[in-house]
Amino acid sequence: MPGDSDGRHMDAHVSRSTVDGRARAPPSKSYTHRAILAAGYAEGAVVRDPLDSADTRATMRAVELYGGEVTERDGDLDVAGFGGRPEVPDDVLDCANSGTTMRLTTATAALADGLTVLTGDASLRSRPHGPLLDAIGQLEGRAESTRGNGQAPLVVGGHVDGGGASIPGDVSSQFVTALLMAGAVTGEGITVDLETELKSAPYVDITVEVLEAFGVEARETDGGYRVDGGQSYDPVGGEYRVPGDFSSMSYLLAAGALAAEDGVVVDGAVPSAQGDSAIVDVVDRMGADVDWDRDAGTITVGRGDLSGVEVGVADTPDLLPTIAALGAAADGTTRITDCEHVRYKETDRVSAMAEELGKMGAVVEESRDELLVRGGETTLTGAEVDGRGDHRIVMALSVAGLVADGTTTVAGAEHVDVSFPGFFGVLYDLGADVSTSE
């Protein structure tokens, strides 16, 4: 079975394969981040079935720096929270590569009496946070980029006690999530007015769903969102269970749609507010054999004669690499629209998929806001491709490798640890011809 990276550089080697059997996607990263921080805002809570990954460990570190304590027990997290009153961290908060951690806990910092310094790796220090910093300023907190460009390192402090803030909705829904989560424990609550249409809106639905599970009410308004102040985080029974992750599941479903003659059964597919559950509809529309037993939380997907489709990813940016890989192996053209914001993820995922699939022989055209994958003109051939240090690019290219002639070598395979540790082991257990090397 392919090994783990342990921080070393790793290549994955994938050859044309068929897959079958049963697999489970990891727990949801989005839900895990929110649940860990919600438990931090609480007096305490147990987070069951969390995703253990580099990104979620960054959020655990943040909760501890703000005065909480996180203990791992039998795969669950026992969180002693800071009760809505974050302390000023006694060190810099290093968010590593986790944009979610930085954005969500930047608003936490605005509640503290002193100043918090938040930073991350080179990729994270290039991502935009300006609208969130501006919003905290509108709430009479202090929030600055040390370089004055809206990028980390950030210096943030309070003491914010609520109010109203107006922000653009087309940069990151995480700004809204951050303000809602922090706003519940302020005195006045926070109203967020959106100046432009909200991109990735289902992620705010996830936030509202998690808040509700923790006993906190947030609601949509005519022009944005509102959370009342003076609320307490307190989940029923003192615990919260994290659902399976549809972003991660997308690679298993795509593998089934491309290479499973008898079908792959994916467990942990419990319906939730995750926008990325749209992948089930995408593989179904493309012609795969799909059956979702929502009560059992299982999806069975088998290979079909796939045809190109048009898919808008305004609300589901993380699906673009998966859909592009599917499109490269389908007949006809797959058109992915509304994707400009996908350029501002861990890497420019639009260009990355266009260029790397191109190395495999795919005919791909990109424009600012669209990606065209001409599967009907494509014969996929194994090649040496670069995962761009981005977990989603690595996994999508590896799935494409299942149906390419010869062997596909994906550089930077260790980055799957961000959201799907053990991804290559899961593929191997399904029968894929896959190995890793340092």
Side-chain angles (χ1 to χ4, degrees):
M1 189 178 114
D4 295 320
S5 67
D6 292 330
R8 296 184 293 271
H9 177 80
M10 210 164 68
D11 291 339
H13 312 280
V14 186
S15 299
R16 180 183 281 274
S17 312
T18 57
V19 294
D20 63 31
R22 200 171 194 109
R24 177 179 289 270
S28 163
K29 184 158 72 107
S30 298
Y31 280 79
T32 300
H33 278 299
R34 288 158 176 78
I36 292 168
L37 184 56
Y41 278 123
E43 294 295 338
V46 176
V47 179
R48 301 209 180 276
D49 298 334
L51 175 71
D52 179 15
S53 75
D55 280 18
T56 58
R57 284 194 292 274
T59 297
M60 292 180 219
R61 285 197 302 275
V63 166
E64 293 197 311
L65 279 168
Y66 286 126
E69 187 176 347
V70 183
T71 306
E72 299 183 48
R73 285 201 182 96
D74 300 325
D76 296 332
L77 299 176
D78 193 345
V79 182
F82 46 82
R85 294 176 298 281
E87 297 175 3
V88 179
D90 58 10
D91 197 358
V92 170
L93 174 46
D94 180 2
C95 301
N97 187 238
S98 178
T100 305
T101 302
M102 177 163 283
R103 286 162 175 174
L104 269 54
T105 65
T106 288
T108 313
L111 303 175
D113 290 327
L115 296 176
T116 299
V117 179
L118 302 97
T119 191
D121 67 10
S123 169
L124 185 53
R125 293 195 308 274
S126 71
R127 294 174 72 176
H129 304 282
L132 180 57
L133 304 180
D134 184 53
I136 291 169
Q138 293 174 52
L139 296 166
E140 300 184 0
R142 175 179 169 185
E144 300 171 30
S145 158
T146 59
R147 294 177 287 164
N149 61 359
Q151 297 171 358
L154 308 178
V155 179
V156 183
H159 178 85
V160 165
D161 197 41
S166 178
I167 62 171
D170 57 356
V171 179
S172 174
S173 65
Q174 292 172 349
F175 302 154
V176 178
T177 287
L179 294 168
L180 292 179
M181 292 191 74
V185 297
T186 62
E188 299 175 37
I190 290 178
T191 300
V192 181
D193 291 319
L194 296 170
E195 299 162 0
T196 57
E197 185 180 355
L198 183 63
K199 292 271 185 175
S200 306
Y203 287 100
V204 179
D205 297 338
I206 288 173
T207 303
V208 171
E209 186 181 303
V210 172
L211 288 176
E212 183 179 354
F214 276 81
V216 170
E217 185 200 354
R219 60 187 183 276
E220 199 168 353
T221 63
D222 283 346
Y225 291 86
R226 165 73 188 171
V227 62
D228 292 337
Q231 301 191 67
S232 296
Y233 283 79
D234 186 15
V236 174
E239 64 177 50
Y240 176 82
R241 190 173 296 275
V242 177
D245 184 86
F246 276 90
S247 310
S248 297
M249 219 175 289
S250 74
Y251 312 106
L252 301 179
L253 298 176
L258 293 174
E261 291 181 3
D262 298 322
V264 165
V265 180
V266 180
D267 292 316
V270 178
S272 68
Q274 295 174 70
D276 284 347
S277 61
I279 189 62
V280 183
D281 179 58
V282 173
V283 293
D284 185 41
R285 283 171 53 208
M286 292 184 88
D289 184 7
V290 181
D291 178 46
W292 186 3
D293 184 334
R294 287 168 171 78
D295 292 331
T298 60
I299 300 174
T300 305
V301 59
R303 186 164 70 188
D305 293 325
L306 302 187
S307 301
V309 292
E310 180 169 327
V311 184
V313 293
D315 289 336
T316 54
D318 286 345
L319 293 184
L320 179 137
T322 314
I323 297 167
L326 284 163
D331 287 331
T333 297
T334 293
R335 180 188 299 267
I336 305 173
T337 64
D338 304 316
C339 64
E340 184 183 11
H341 62 310
V342 190
R343 297 184 182 278
Y344 307 111
K345 295 291 183 176
E346 281 85 336
T347 187
D348 178 341
R349 288 177 174 160
V350 184
S351 286
M353 287 307 294
E355 292 165 13
E356 300 306 322
L357 284 175
K359 294 176 186 175
M360 298 176 71
V363 179
V364 187
E365 301 168 24
E366 64 168 302
S367 57
R368 181 182 60 82
D369 202 29
E370 281 193 359
L371 190 66
L372 289 181
V373 186
R374 300 193 182 279
E377 302 169 26
T378 291
T379 301
L380 284 177
T381 306
E384 292 190 4
V385 294
D386 184 355
R388 307 292 184 98
D390 186 320
H391 53 127
R392 303 210 181 281
I393 303 296
V394 170
M395 289 186 276
L397 294 172
S398 299
V399 168
L402 293 173
V403 289
D405 291 330
T407 298
T408 299
T409 297
V410 186
E414 72 278 4
H415 290 284
V416 300
D417 285 356
V418 166
S419 62
F420 198 156
F423 169 72
F424 293 106
V426 171
L427 275 189
Y428 179 85
D429 290 344
L430 289 172
D433 183 352
V434 56
S435 63
T436 55
S437 64
E438 291 177 25

